[in-house]
Amino acid sequence: MEDGQKSQEEVDQWEETMFLYDSALKKMALRAQTINDEFVCRYRYDPIEHIKYRLKTADSIVRKLQQDGHEVTIENMNEKLSDIAGVRIICSFTSDIYQIAGIIEKQEDITVLHVKDYIQNPKPNGYKSYHMVVSVPIFLSDGRRDVKVEIQIRSVAMDFWASLEHKIAYKLEGDTPKMLLRELKSCADIVDVLDDKMYSLHRALLAITEKRDDVTY
């Protein structure tokens, strides 16, 4: 009977923990959408192309804890893992990435726990993205809970590259041939050039429209 009660308590604790992560995930995704909507309202410009979010599965959480040599417990989930709840913000240009990150950092109820800037410091394989781990408050009937959410902010081109790299690594179970690794790094370099060229086009378009507006006025 005691084992049954303990088992049910563990199930209840797990369900409440995942409910908290899911709530924090939805709150952060809505916050990102609100930021974009404000830009559209005030400046007629939407810096965010789209927003993705996901909650790690139980199998993924267990596998990650075991790979890192941790006992599978609720306490270790909360303490050792930072990406159970993940939001990915896809921006048009690199400049938008840093602008969105700066706005998130200034949100009064959000605490930035740590940042990894893989745009200024790409991974050896060419991976680029701006990572933030933040603490999001969730208010329940019995008080406040602070929940970690990982935020990845990247450009459309960076996201396309990262998606392809993930598919290759998944299919080959991490044992990617050196030839493919070289090709991926080459593609990452091309992505850098594409991002720069698209931003230059964007700036040129802004200059043309601003000049036309001045003439019209």
Side-chain angles (χ1 to χ4, degrees):
M1 183 67 176
E2 289 183 359
D3 288 343
Q5 289 178 339
K6 183 178 179 182
S7 177
Q8 185 57 50
E9 287 175 3
E10 290 174 344
V11 170
D12 292 343
Q13 189 178 11
W14 166 264
E15 290 180 348
E16 181 173 332
T17 300
M18 295 310 293
F19 158 73
L20 287 170
Y21 278 109
D22 185 56
S23 299
L25 185 64
K26 291 174 180 175
K27 182 173 183 177
M28 195 62 242
L30 179 59
R31 187 67 57 89
Q33 185 61 57
T34 300
I35 291 170
N36 191 65
D37 291 346
E38 179 193 359
F39 268 80
V40 173
C41 178
R42 289 188 173 185
Y43 312 114
R44 303 295 187 267
Y45 174 66
D46 49 340
I48 298 176
E49 292 285 339
H50 51 273
I51 300 164
K52 305 175 184 178
Y53 55 94
R54 65 100 186 97
L55 201 62
K56 269 188 180 294
T57 63
D59 288 344
S60 181
I61 291 170
V62 169
R63 185 165 56 250
K64 178 63 174 174
L65 285 172
Q66 291 176 338
Q67 286 175 349
D68 293 345
H70 303 303
E71 184 182 356
V72 180
T73 64
I74 298 293
E75 291 74 16
N76 282 340
M77 276 178 56
N78 294 327
E79 181 181 345
K80 306 296 184 181
L81 301 184
S82 299
D83 63 343
I84 293 176
V87 176
R88 185 173 299 156
I89 300 173
I90 314 302
C91 295
S92 302
F93 309 105
T94 302
S95 58
D96 296 326
I97 294 172
Y98 288 104
Q99 188 168 33
I100 296 299
I103 293 171
I104 292 173
E105 288 175 359
K106 293 177 182 177
Q107 302 281 300
E108 291 184 358
D109 59 337
I110 292 175
T111 301
V112 178
L113 302 178
H114 61 262
V115 169
K116 288 185 179 179
D117 188 346
Y118 293 116
I119 298 174
Q120 295 297 322
N121 302 288
K123 291 185 178 182
N125 66 353
Y127 174 84
K128 282 190 168 187
S129 187
Y130 191 90
H131 290 199
M132 307 170 70
V133 176
V134 302
S135 178
V136 178
I138 300 298
F139 297 94
L140 304 179
S141 58
D142 59 351
R144 168 175 170 160
R145 305 285 193 279
D146 292 306
V147 184
K148 286 187 288 187
V149 176
E150 183 190 58
I151 305 171
Q152 298 178 357
I153 316 176
R154 57 179 68 150
S155 71
V156 174
M158 292 174 193
D159 188 57
F160 175 70
W161 183 94
S163 177
L164 176 61
E165 190 275 338
H166 177 76
K167 289 176 182 177
I168 291 173
Y170 180 79
K171 286 183 177 294
L172 299 178
E173 298 180 346
D175 187 23
T176 308
K178 290 184 179 179
M179 178 273 292
L180 285 181
L181 291 175
R182 287 195 298 269
E183 288 298 315
L184 279 170
K185 180 60 173 66
S186 176
C187 287
D189 295 337
I190 293 171
V191 165
D192 287 344
V193 174
L194 178 62
D195 267 338
D196 289 342
K197 284 186 174 294
M198 293 301 290
Y199 183 64
S200 294
L201 285 171
H202 172 65
R203 295 299 302 171
L205 177 62
L206 286 179
I208 291 171
T209 54
E210 288 173 0
K211 186 174 182 180
R212 285 180 177 176
D213 289 344
D214 289 341
V215 170
T216 301
Y217 181 76

